[in-house]
């Protein structure tokens, strides 16, 4: 049995049937990580000893006939901004280099209760700020498909680990595209659920009104299985919604009559690579062959989404990161007075991009600029949401690119604004709180994968996943 | 829009960050280009829009006012660099 080439659900099935033990599967993945990660740098922490102990426990419980979750015994990689009790959680920052959380994030509790095995913590952009993996304090992750290229970010390690075979499934987080973009760049599948569907308790906050935890895996079925484990209301996160599970069950592959909207303005966006546009449109043809209807729609606010996103997210980030002051946890640069303690600790231990975003956020919230920038951005958010509400009256799913280009070279110096603009297709789903899926849809002539994005209406996560499933059932990439 | 060095230093003070002269100049020019980019929003008419803070319709999500155990003090102090048996410690704040 080629363990490393099974999907998460196939592996879970094999473990349940006794064809392989969770311990053997975990050992195979640990071996792969040991062989590969020196090069790829997808992991910050590998928790081999505890993972094997947990795997043995799961094997015993399965042998005793205990019914466990859909991914019982499967090793799972977790982005390093999700708190894991007694296991270092660094957010890829010098600030939290030695931080060991005293509690689990809710998603981790749910994973453990369902019998999954946490194998390690994956690399990322520092505090989830970035889209290339290069702001990590622990060195950047490389794209396994072409190692001089970026794997994307900020869930760089999670996407790279799944693509390189160092993980069968991983958790990431998405504030402005941080699951979908690295998934597209690494040729894997990633999902950002509707805002409020997955608890953020234990996710180190970047922008609290935009962040969502979501899965990255080899196919949509695996994503759905993970959603069944991690989704659902949580009393520890007051922004969670009462949703019904049953994501995997809802994958019928039936898209007859489903209306797929193609946003004209998005496909005419400056800088969108022609091959990407064509490959993404080809997804529409496949779905049309299965009975879906394709219609043109208008989403004219694409030029405003990125500046609005950066105002809102940096404002929230500046507030969220004020907790890092050297006192309760994290790094500390001792000083003679309190103000100096805060300043030196933060200056010494945050990277450049984090400082830039804190400064941007503080600026837009400061007296004299609050109305012109922050309040204005919140009004633009309302207009963008309204536009989506209108569009979803005439279509069910929006099909669009994930990224305007394929991955760039690592080490390429870019001014901040140019790098922010590469998020042009992903930020709107975060601004409007909508579910959005990235599925591989082909290979560029330069050899790199292309991702297509499917965006659904609020709480239509199952429909989005089902559409992706229908596409993947038809096209073997 | 031009941002002055004074403004950069003020924002740095509010952010509790220290910028030396070189970083201040770099930050100033980066902030200027980012702020100019953000000003794109002025092209969009939002006269009739109300600021949207929370997506969704949740308001006042409360729990029962019941006392429940919190974390163990020792656990919480573990991650702090400077602490006594009971508290986090900081430099003197009041003369």
């Amino acid at each position: 049995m080629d363990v490393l080439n099974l999907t998460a659900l196939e592996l879970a099935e094999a473990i349940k049937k006794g064809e392989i033990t969770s311990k053997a599967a975990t050992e195979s993945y640990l071996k792969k990580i040991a062989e590969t990660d020196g090069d790829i740098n997808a992991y910050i922490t590998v928790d081999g000893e505890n993972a094997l102990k947990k795997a043995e426990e799961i094997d015993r419980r399965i042998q005793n006939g205990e019914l466990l979750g859909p991914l019982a015994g499967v090793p799972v990689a977790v982005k390093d901004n999700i708190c894991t009790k007694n296991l270092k959680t660094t957010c890829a920052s010098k600030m939290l280099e030695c931080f060991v959380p005293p509690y689990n994030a809710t998603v981790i509790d749910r994973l453990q209760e369902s019998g999954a095995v946490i194998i390690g913590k994956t690399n990322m952009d520092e505090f989830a700020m970035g889209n290339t993996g290069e702001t990590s304090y622990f060195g950047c992750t490389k794209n396994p498909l072409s190692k001089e290229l970026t794997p994307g970010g900020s869930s760089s390690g999670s996407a790279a680990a799944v693509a390189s075979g160092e993980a069968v499934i991983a958790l990431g987080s998405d504030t402005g595209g941080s699951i979908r973009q690295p998934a597209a760049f690494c040729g894997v599948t990633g999902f950002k659920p509707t805002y409020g569907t997955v608890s953020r308790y234990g996710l180190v906050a970047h922008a609290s009104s935009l962040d969502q935890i979501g899965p990255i895996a080899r196919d949509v079925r695996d994503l759905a299985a993970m959603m069944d484990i991690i989704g659902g209301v949580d009393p520890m996160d007051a922004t969670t919604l009462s949703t019904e599970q049953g994501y995997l069950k809802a994958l019928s592959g039936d898209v007859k009559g489903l209306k797929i909207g193609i946003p004209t303005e998005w496909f005419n966006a400056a800088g969108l690579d022609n091959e990407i546009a064509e490959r993404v449109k080809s997804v529409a043809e496949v779905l049309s062959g299965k009975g879906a209807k394709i219609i043109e729609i208008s989403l004219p606010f694409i030029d405003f989404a990125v500046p609005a996103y950066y105002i809102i997210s940096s404002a929230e980030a500046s507030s969220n990161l004020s907790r890092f002051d050297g006192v309760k946890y994290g790094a500390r640069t001792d000083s003679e007075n309190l103000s100096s303690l805060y300043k030196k600790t933060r200056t010494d231990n945050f990277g450049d991009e984090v400082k830039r975003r804190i400064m941007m956020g503080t600026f837009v919230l400061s007296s004299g600029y609050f109305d012109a920038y922050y309040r204005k951005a919140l009004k633009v958010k309302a207009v963008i949401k309204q536009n989506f509400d209108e569009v979803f009256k005439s279509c069910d799913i929006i099909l669009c690119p994930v990224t305007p280009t394929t991955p760039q070279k690592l080490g390429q110096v870019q001014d901040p604004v140019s790098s922010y603009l590469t998020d042009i297709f992903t930020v709107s789903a975060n601004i409007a709180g909508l579910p959005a899926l990235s599925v591989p849809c082909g290979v560029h002539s330069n050899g790199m994968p292309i991702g297509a994005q499917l965006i659904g209406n609020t709480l239509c996560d199952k429909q989005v996943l089902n559409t992706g499933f229908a596409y993947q059932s038809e096209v073997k990439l | 829009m031009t941002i002055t060095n004074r403004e950069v230093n003020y924002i740095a003070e509010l952010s509790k960050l220290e910028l030396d002269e070189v970083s201040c100049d770099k930050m100033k020019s980066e902030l200027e280009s980012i702020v100019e980019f953000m000003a794109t929003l002025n092209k969009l008419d939002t006269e009739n829009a109300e600021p949207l803070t929370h997506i969704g319709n949740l308001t006042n999500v409360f729990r029962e006012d019941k006392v429940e155990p919190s974390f163990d003090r020792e656990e919480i102090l573990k991650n702090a660099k400077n602490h006594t048996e009971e508290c986090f410690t900081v430099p003197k704040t009041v003369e």
Side-chain angles (χ1 to χ4, degrees), chain A residues 153-375:
Chain A
S154 61
S155 307
S156 18
S158 287
V162 174
S164 69
E166 294 177 77
V168 64
I169 190 166
L171 287 185
S173 74
D174 192 311
T175 305
S178 291
I179 284 174
R180 292 161 285 155
Q181 184 252 40
F185 277 179
C186 292
V188 294
T189 314
F191 183 56
K192 180 203 87 67
T194 293
Y195 182 82
T197 307
V198 177
S199 172
R200 291 177 300 107
Y201 179 71
L203 170 68
V204 177
H206 170 174
S208 315
S209 75
L210 304 169
D211 294 341
Q212 273 293 274
I213 293 174
I216 297 175
R218 291 171 193 177
D219 67 13
V220 173
R221 287 192 78 236
D222 282 356
L223 301 181
M226 181 58 86
M227 284 298 297
D228 277 333
I229 297 170
I230 62 174
V233 73
D234 179 19
M236 298 304 286
D237 175 358
T239 60
T240 51
L241 305 166
S242 285
T243 51
E244 269 179 45
Q245 301 311 91
Y247 294 91
L248 188 57
K249 230 167 50 171
L251 297 182
S252 63
D254 182 8
V255 293
K256 277 192 225 65
L258 193 73
K259 291 184 232 107
I260 314 276
I262 310 279
T264 320
E265 298 88 350
W266 293 33
F267 281 90
N268 290 330
L272 173 59
D273 179 284
N274 279 332
E275 277 187 63
I276 291 181
E278 288 313 306
R279 285 309 312 164
V280 172
K281 281 191 184 150
S282 76
V283 174
E285 286 156 28
V286 171
L287 293 170
S288 167
K290 290 177 79 87
K293 289 193 167 67
I294 313 300
I295 63 171
E296 291 266 327
I297 56 168
S298 175
L299 284 173
F301 302 114
I302 192 167
D303 288 335
F304 306 109
V306 177
Y309 166 79
Y310 275 97
I311 290 173
I312 295 168
S313 67
S314 64
E316 293 185 14
S318 73
S319 174
N320 280 323
L321 267 65
S322 64
R323 71 194 67 196
F324 300 108
D325 57 9
V327 179
K328 300 176 291 298
Y329 37 67
R332 176 174 176 136
T333 305
D334 281 308
S335 206
E336 65 281 5
N337 66 56
L338 192 62
S339 175
S340 182
L341 169 70
Y342 293 160
K343 285 187 213 166
K344 288 191 193 305
T345 295
R346 292 161 65 80
T347 305
D348 287 352
N349 296 291
F350 281 144
D352 286 345
E353 181 62 27
V354 169
K355 286 181 194 164
R356 194 178 294 125
R357 305 252 185 136
I358 291 173
M359 292 284 287
M360 275 160 60
T362 305
F363 175 82
V364 303
L365 290 174
S366 66
S367 165
Y369 296 114
F370 182 91
D371 282 341
Y373 294 97
Y374 185 66
R375 209 155 174 273

Side-chain angles (χ1 to χ4, degrees), chain A residues 407-431:
Chain A
Q408 69 195 50
K409 277 206 164 85
L410 286 166
Q412 204 170 338
V413 175
Q414 234 183 347
D415 66 280
V417 172
S418 304
S419 84
Y420 297 162
L421 279 169
T422 59
D423 297 333
I424 191 166
F425 299 119
T426 47
V427 295
S428 299
N430 301 86
I431 290 172

Side-chain angles (χ1 to χ4, degrees), chain A residues 99-100 238 304 311 327 329 332 334-335 338 343 346-347 356 360 362-363 369 373 376 378 381-382 431, chain B residues 1 7 13 15-16 18 30 34-35 38 40-41 44 46 50 52-53 55 61 79-80 82 89 91 93:
Chain A
F99 175 63
V100 180
F304 306 109
I311 290 173
V327 179
Y329 37 67
R332 176 174 176 136
D334 281 308
S335 206
L338 192 62
K343 285 187 213 166
R346 292 161 65 80
T347 305
R356 194 178 294 125
M360 275 160 60
T362 305
F363 175 82
Y369 296 114
Y373 294 97
K376 178 73 180 182
L378 291 182
K381 178 172 167 167
I431 290 172
Chain B
M1 114 174 233
E7 276 172 319
E13 179 62 41
S15 307
K16 292 289 176 257
E18 275 177 344
E30 284 172 353
I34 292 168
V35 167
M38 289 172 172
T40 319
L41 296 188
L44 182 62
T46 53
E50 281 301 307
L52 179 62
T53 46
I55 290 284
V61 178
N79 278 299
N82 295 36
T89 55
T93 58

